Every structure is written in structure tokens, then in C-alpha cells.
């Protein structure tokens, strides 16, 4: 029995182990795919795969994969200018790297945190992290990271317009460079930026020429930008003839760049065929959207026409029903009078039922009017002067117009009722509160409570309960 229990436990443990392994492999695969998209600068796809990888990992358990995932997600948000998210994920990655104690990860994540704060224009915090990066990189013997950190500190100082301090940082970067000739281009380029901001144009020109000397002849775009900077230097020095020469050189290189880009874009297809294909796609797309819009318009018109027709028919039926009820009420009233004259027994409550039915049909008819929606909007108003007389009177008139026969029948049955009391009963029957009726009739709520009491005294319980919904 004991061995059977152990055997069952192992059988249960194996799927769990394989499930964890599958989740880890899937997380690694999603991370690799996101990294590939990141290299291709497809930020949305990269972010989607990296976040999927993060969802498959346990964020409470530090691992190199988790730290790198945080790093790459921060890089995605960094490139999409989501500053706060870039900083948040970079800090998570740095905490994870610190818990692991892996120097390479700590260097990478510290650099990512500093860069994220720089993007967020939190310059002081960025410089603090870059200085920490310098200390760690020197301790680890990573000269490339030291050079990168000093260059970034200089870039931050340029943003703070501390150009002299930035020059010192660039000099430090060159001092720690293991390959001064390879890093010389960036060094001289950064110095030229500082000198241009300081207005020291001769030194700026010197640095640009040193950059050109270190630039490969095949890097046409870099040379074009350097010519453009030389043009600005000469313009600032008022050496216009040389400035024109550099401007022409820059324009020629820019034109050659455009030609190269066009050739790359048209490797497998001619420009004319590509344009025709594009025009055809645009034409088909326009036709497609026109048909979609046309179908939507036709369906909308049909629905509106059907609703209007149905509403019109219903209103007509309700109006006919009102006329029929009016005639029945007249006949029932005459029958009551004849019965009273001939000393017959008291008739049943047909007249009250007909009157209540008349009120119900009138209410259904009034609810189909636009004035009913205006009346309902008063439910949430508290200002007694919300409606002017020009707005208030048409609403009351519309109610009286629809319920005229019902109110007349009510007053015929109970002559002691006043017009105001009948209007009050109709408004309550429509669902209006005392606050709404107060706004509509310019009457205090205390007066309305008195009207309710008088209405109860002058009518029977059945009519009162029906209209007042008691």
C-alpha cells in the first residue's frame, strides 16, 4: 500500500513537471520571437510577444530570462516614447538583476534605467544611474560600457546646456576607450556638438573634419550629415563661398542617397507597375468602402422608415381607440342617467373602468411624442426656474391636448374637481414626481401635496389608486 501511494504521487508529479517545462519553453520561445521583432524595429509585435513571455513567468522568482524580458519590454516602451512604462519595467529588471547578483545583467539593466530616466527628462536621476554604471563597469573591467556611460553623461549634460562639463565627460570616455580609433568618430562628433552650442566654430570645424577622416567612404549618409554640419559652421563664420561648396556636396550626397533608396525599394518590380498596383488597390478600396457606406445608409433608411411607419400606425390606432372610448363613456353616462331617472339599481363600475382605460390609452399616445422625453429630463433637475415660460407652457399644453377628453370625463364624473387638480393627476399618472411637477407648474411641493389630498377627497378610491399609483 505504501509503495502504491508513492507511485501515485510520482504519476501526479510528472505532468506538473512537464507542464512547468512546457511553460518555461514557451516563455523562452516568446522572448526569442519578441527579441527578433525588436531587432526589426517592429515595436507592437515585439511588445506583444515579450508581454506574453512575461505572463508565462513567475515574477516573484528572479531569473536571467525574467531580467532580460523586463529589459526588452522597457526598450520597446522607450522606442515608443512611453516614458513612465519604460522606467517602471527597467527598475523591475534592475531589482531582479540585483537579486541574482549577475554583473552583466546589472550593467545592462542599470544602463536601461539611466536611459529611461534620460528619455523621461529626469536628468539628475539619469546622471546618478550613469555614474553608478561607470563605477560598476570599471570594477568589472568592461571598458565599452564605461565609454558608453561617459558618452551618455555628456549627452545629458548637453541637454542641461552644461557644455563645458560635457566636453570633460567625452574626454573621459576617450581615455577609457580600448580602441580610440574606432571610438574616435563618436568622440569627435560629440565634441563638435558642444563647440557648435558654445559658438566656437573653428574648433567645431576641426572636430567635424576629424570625423570625416575616420568615416568610411561607403557611409554616404554619415558623410552627408557631416557636410551639412560644415555648411552651418561656415555660415556662422560668414564664409559663404565655402558654405555653398559644402551645401552642394551635401545636396549631391543626399540625392545619391535618395537614388539608392529608390533602387532598394524597386528591386523586384518596376516603378510604373508598382504605381499601377497601388492605384488599383486604392480604387478597389474606395469602391469597397463606398459600397459598405451605401449599404449602411440603405439599411439605416429602411430601419428608420419602418420605425416611423410602425409608430405612425400605432399612433393612429391609439387615436382611434381614444375616440371609441370617448363614445363608450358618453353612452355609459347616458345609461347611468336613464337608470337614475327610472329608479333602477346602481349600475356596475363600467364607467370607472372605461375612464381608466381612456387614461391608459392617452398615456401610451403621449409617450410617443417628443415632449415626453423633455418631460422625463426634468426628473434630475432641482432648479425651480430651470424652465422659462416659453419652454414650460408648450409642455403643459401638449399634456392637456392629449388628455383633454380624459380630463373632461373626469370632471363630468366628479364636478368638484378643478382643472389644476386634474392636470396634477395626469402628470402624476405620467410618472412625474412632485419636484418635476413643481418645476413644470411653478407650484410649491406643499401645495401639490394639498392637491393630492383634495383629489383623494373628491374622487373614489379606485380612480385615486389608479391615477396616483397608490
Amino acid at each position: 500500500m505504501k509503495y502504491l501511494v508513492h507511485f501515485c504521487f510520482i504519476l501526479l508529479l510528472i505532468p506538473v513537471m512537464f507542464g512547468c517545462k512546457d511553460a518555461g519553453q514557451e516563455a523562452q520561445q516568446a522572448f526569442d520571437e519578441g527579441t527578433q521583432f525588436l531587432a526589426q524595429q517592429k515595436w507592437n509585435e515585439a511588445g506583444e510577444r515579450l508581454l506574453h513571455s512575461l505572463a508565462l513567468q513567475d515574477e516573484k522568482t528572479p531569473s536571467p530570462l525574467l531580467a532580460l524580458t523586463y529589459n526588452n519590454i522597457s526598450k520597446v516602451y522607450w522606442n515608443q516614447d512611453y516614458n513612465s512604462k519604460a522606467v517602471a519595467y527597467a527598475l523591475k529588471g534592475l531589482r531582479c538583476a540585483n537579486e541574482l547578483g549577475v554583473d552583466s545583467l546589472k550593467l545592462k539593466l542599470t544602463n536601461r534605467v539611466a536611459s529611461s530616466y534620460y528619455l523621461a527628462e529626469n536628468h539628475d536621476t539619469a546622471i546618478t544611474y550613469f555614474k553608478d554604471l561607470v563605477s560598476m563597469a570599471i570594477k568589472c573591467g568592461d571598458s565599452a560600457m564605461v565609454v558608453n556611460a561617459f558618452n551618455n553623461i555628456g549627452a545629458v549634460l548637453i541637454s542641461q546646456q552644461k557644455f563645458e562639463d560635457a566636453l570633460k565627460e567625452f574626454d573621459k570616455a576617450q581615455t577609457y576607450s580600448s580602441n580610440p580609433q574606432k571610438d574616435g568618430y563618436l568622440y569627435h562628433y560629440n565634441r563638435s556638438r558642444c563647440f557648435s552650442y558654445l559658438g566656437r566654430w573653428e574648433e567645431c570645424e576641426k572636430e567635424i573634419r576629424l570625423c570625416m577622416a575616420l568615416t568610411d567612404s561607403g557611409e554616404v549618409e554619415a558623410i552627408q550629415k557631416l557636410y551639412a554640419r560644415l555648411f552651418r559652421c561656415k555660415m556662422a563664420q560668414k564664409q559663404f563661398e565655402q558654405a555653398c561648396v559644402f551645401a552642394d556636396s551635401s545636396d549631391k550626397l543626399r540625392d545619391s542617397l535618395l537614388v539608392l533608396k529608390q533602387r532598394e525599394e524597386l528591386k523586384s518590380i518596376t516603378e510604373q507597375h508598382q504605381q499601377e498596383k497601388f492605384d488599383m488597390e486604392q480604387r478597389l478600396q474606395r469602391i469597397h468602402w463606398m459600397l459598405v457606406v451605401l449599404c449602411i445608409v440603405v439599411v439605416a433608411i429602411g430601419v428608420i422608415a419602418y420605425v416611423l411607419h410602425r409608430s405612425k400606425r400605432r399612433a393612429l390606432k391609439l387615436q382611434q381607440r381614444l375616440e371609441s372610448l370617448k363614445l363608450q363613456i358618453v353612452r355609459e353616462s347616458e345609461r347611468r342617467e336613464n337608470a337614475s331617472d327610472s329608479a333602477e339599481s346602481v349600475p356596475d363600475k363600467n364607467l370607472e373602468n372605461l375612464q381608466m382605460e381612456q387614461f391608459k390609452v392617452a398615456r401610451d399616445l403621449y409617450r410617443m411624442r417628443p415632449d415626453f422625453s423633455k418631460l422625463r429630463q426634468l426628473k434630475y433637475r432641482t432648479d425651480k426656474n430651470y424652465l422659462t415660460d416659453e419652454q414650460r407652457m408648450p409642455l403643459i399644453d401638449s399634456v392637456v391636448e392629449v388628455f383633454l377628453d380624459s380630463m373632461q370625463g373626469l370632471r363630468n364624473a366628479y364636478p368638484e374637481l378643478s382643472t389644476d387638480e386634474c392636470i396634477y393627476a395626469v402628470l402624476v399618472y405620467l410618472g412625474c414626481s412632485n419636484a418635476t411637477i413643481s418645476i413644470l407648474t411653478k407650484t410649491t411641493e406643499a401645495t401639490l401635496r394639498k392637491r393630492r389630498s383634495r383629489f383623494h377627497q373628491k374622487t373614489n378610491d379606485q380612480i385615486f389608486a389608479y391615477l396616483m399609483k397608490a
Side-chain angles (χ1 to χ4, degrees):
M1 186 67 181
K2 179 179 178 181
Y3 294 106
L4 181 62
V5 171
H6 284 295
F7 180 74
C8 294
F9 177 77
I10 292 171
L11 288 178
L12 291 173
L13 187 62
I14 288 174
V16 174
M17 293 174 62
F18 277 102
C20 295
K21 185 176 179 182
D22 292 342
Q25 290 177 348
E26 188 177 355
Q28 182 65 52
Q29 182 180 357
F31 172 81
D32 294 336
E33 292 173 358
T35 305
Q36 292 176 3
F37 284 127
L38 191 62
Q40 299 170 5
Q41 297 185 356
K42 296 180 178 179
W43 314 121
N44 292 333
E45 294 85 350
E48 181 182 352
R49 297 309 299 159
L50 290 168
L51 288 172
H52 179 62
S53 175
L54 182 62
L56 295 171
Q57 301 178 55
D58 183 6
E59 297 188 53
K60 296 181 180 179
T61 305
S63 67
L65 179 61
L66 181 62
L68 291 174
T69 304
Y70 282 135
N71 179 73
N72 287 355
I73 292 174
S74 175
K75 190 181 295 185
V76 170
Y77 285 129
W78 190 88
N79 283 284
Q80 291 181 319
D81 291 333
Y82 293 113
N83 306 336
S84 59
K85 291 185 177 181
V87 170
Y89 279 99
L91 289 172
K92 288 182 179 180
L94 182 58
R95 284 194 294 269
C96 182
N98 288 331
E99 291 177 10
L100 291 170
V102 180
D103 291 335
S104 59
L105 289 175
K106 289 166 68 176
L107 289 173
K108 182 175 290 188
L109 268 303
T110 303
N111 182 54
R112 174 53 46 201
V113 171
S115 301
S116 300
Y117 275 120
Y118 176 48
L119 180 67
E121 298 183 353
N122 194 338
H123 297 146
D124 294 332
T125 307
I127 289 177
T128 301
Y129 276 98
F130 278 128
K131 288 182 178 179
D132 293 342
L133 180 61
V134 169
S135 302
M136 285 189 290
I138 292 174
K139 185 177 179 180
C140 296
D142 191 341
S143 59
M145 189 63 75
V146 175
V147 172
N148 177 63
F150 277 125
N151 282 327
N152 285 328
I153 292 173
V156 176
L157 291 172
I158 289 176
S159 300
Q160 294 178 320
Q161 298 184 356
K162 298 177 181 180
F163 307 117
E164 295 291 347
D165 295 335
L167 285 170
K168 295 176 182 179
E169 298 299 324
F170 295 138
D171 291 337
K172 292 178 184 178
Q174 191 66 4
T175 302
Y176 280 91
S177 176
S178 59
N179 190 348
Q181 185 175 1
K182 181 181 178 181
D183 297 330
Y185 174 86
L186 183 60
Y187 169 67
H188 293 299
Y189 184 82
N190 286 331
R191 284 174 60 83
S192 70
R193 289 177 62 198
C194 293
F195 288 135
S196 65
Y197 289 123
L198 291 169
R200 294 155 61 176
W201 299 110
E202 293 181 0
E203 294 172 281
C204 180
E205 180 183 352
K206 179 182 176 182
E207 297 296 332
I208 295 172
R209 290 186 181 278
L210 289 172
C211 285
M212 295 185 71
L214 295 170
T215 305
D216 193 297
S217 59
E219 297 178 5
V220 181
E221 187 172 0
I223 297 174
Q224 186 265 330
K225 291 181 179 179
L226 291 173
Y227 272 125
R229 293 184 73 85
L230 282 173
F231 162 75
R232 289 193 290 272
C233 284
K234 291 300 180 182
M235 287 294 293
Q237 294 173 321
K238 298 184 179 180
Q239 299 177 9
F240 302 116
E241 292 182 0
Q242 294 184 25
C244 290
V245 173
F246 290 128
D248 291 338
S249 301
S250 177
D251 289 339
K252 289 178 181 178
L253 290 173
R254 185 176 58 192
D255 292 339
S256 64
L257 280 172
L258 291 174
V259 172
L260 289 173
K261 288 181 179 179
Q262 288 177 355
R263 288 176 181 176
E264 290 175 359
E265 292 172 354
L266 303 175
K267 287 181 180 178
S268 61
I269 188 171
T270 64
E271 185 177 2
Q272 182 179 1
H273 176 69
Q274 187 180 17
Q275 188 64 37
E276 289 175 356
K277 183 179 178 180
F278 176 77
D279 293 339
M280 180 62 70
E281 290 176 353
Q282 292 292 316
R283 195 177 298 111
L284 290 174
Q285 190 175 9
R286 284 195 295 269
I287 293 173
H288 171 73
W289 282 111
M290 287 173 63
L291 289 174
V292 170
V293 172
L294 182 62
C295 291
I296 293 174
V297 171
V298 170
V299 171
I301 292 174
V303 170
I304 293 172
Y306 173 76
V307 171
L308 290 176
H309 176 69
R310 185 177 178 182
S311 299
K312 188 176 180 180
R313 285 187 58 187
R314 186 165 183 267
L316 183 61
K317 288 182 178 180
L318 290 173
Q319 193 67 45
Q320 292 174 350
R321 177 62 178 161
L322 274 179
E323 296 296 330
S324 175
L325 287 170
K326 181 180 178 181
L327 183 59
Q328 292 180 43
I329 289 171
V330 171
R331 290 175 178 174
E332 183 64 22
S333 298
E334 292 176 354
R335 191 177 71 82
R336 276 197 171 192
E337 292 176 2
N338 294 333
S340 176
D341 293 338
S342 59
E344 293 181 3
S345 61
V346 178
D348 56 9
K349 296 185 177 181
N350 288 339
L351 182 59
E352 285 79 6
N353 292 334
L354 289 173
Q355 287 176 339
M356 289 187 288
E357 179 69 17
Q358 189 180 34
F359 271 101
K360 180 179 180 301
V361 175
R363 181 187 62 185
D364 294 340
L365 182 61
Y366 185 78
R367 284 178 175 176
M368 299 180 65
R369 290 195 168 198
D371 294 329
F372 181 67
S373 61
K374 296 179 182 178
L375 198 63
R376 293 182 65 184
Q377 291 174 4
L378 299 177
K379 179 179 180 181
Y380 304 101
R381 300 294 176 181
T382 57
D383 184 11
K384 302 297 182 182
N385 298 320
Y386 173 72
L387 292 179
T388 62
D389 290 338
E390 290 79 11
Q391 297 170 328
R392 183 173 62 86
M393 294 308 297
L395 281 176
I396 298 176
D397 292 340
S398 66
V399 173
V400 173
E401 179 185 351
V402 175
F403 286 88
L404 182 61
D405 293 332
S406 303
M407 292 167 60
Q408 188 62 41
L410 190 62
R411 293 196 67 187
N412 290 338
Y414 306 99
E416 296 179 1
L417 287 174
S418 65
T419 303
D420 291 339
E421 290 167 351
C422 291
I423 293 175
Y424 171 75
V426 168
L427 291 174
V428 172
Y429 183 66
L430 285 172
C432 298
S433 63
N434 278 349
T436 301
I437 300 172
S438 177
I439 295 173
L440 192 62
T441 60
K442 299 285 185 178
T443 309
T444 63
E445 294 188 28
T447 303
L448 295 177
R449 286 191 289 270
K450 293 179 181 178
R451 285 184 183 173
R452 180 187 182 93
S453 177
R454 288 198 300 268
F455 186 85
H456 192 191
Q457 294 172 1
K458 296 176 182 179
T459 58
N460 62 33
D461 292 337
Q462 183 182 6
I463 293 292
F464 176 82
Y466 182 79
L467 294 181
M468 298 298 178
K469 301 178 181 179

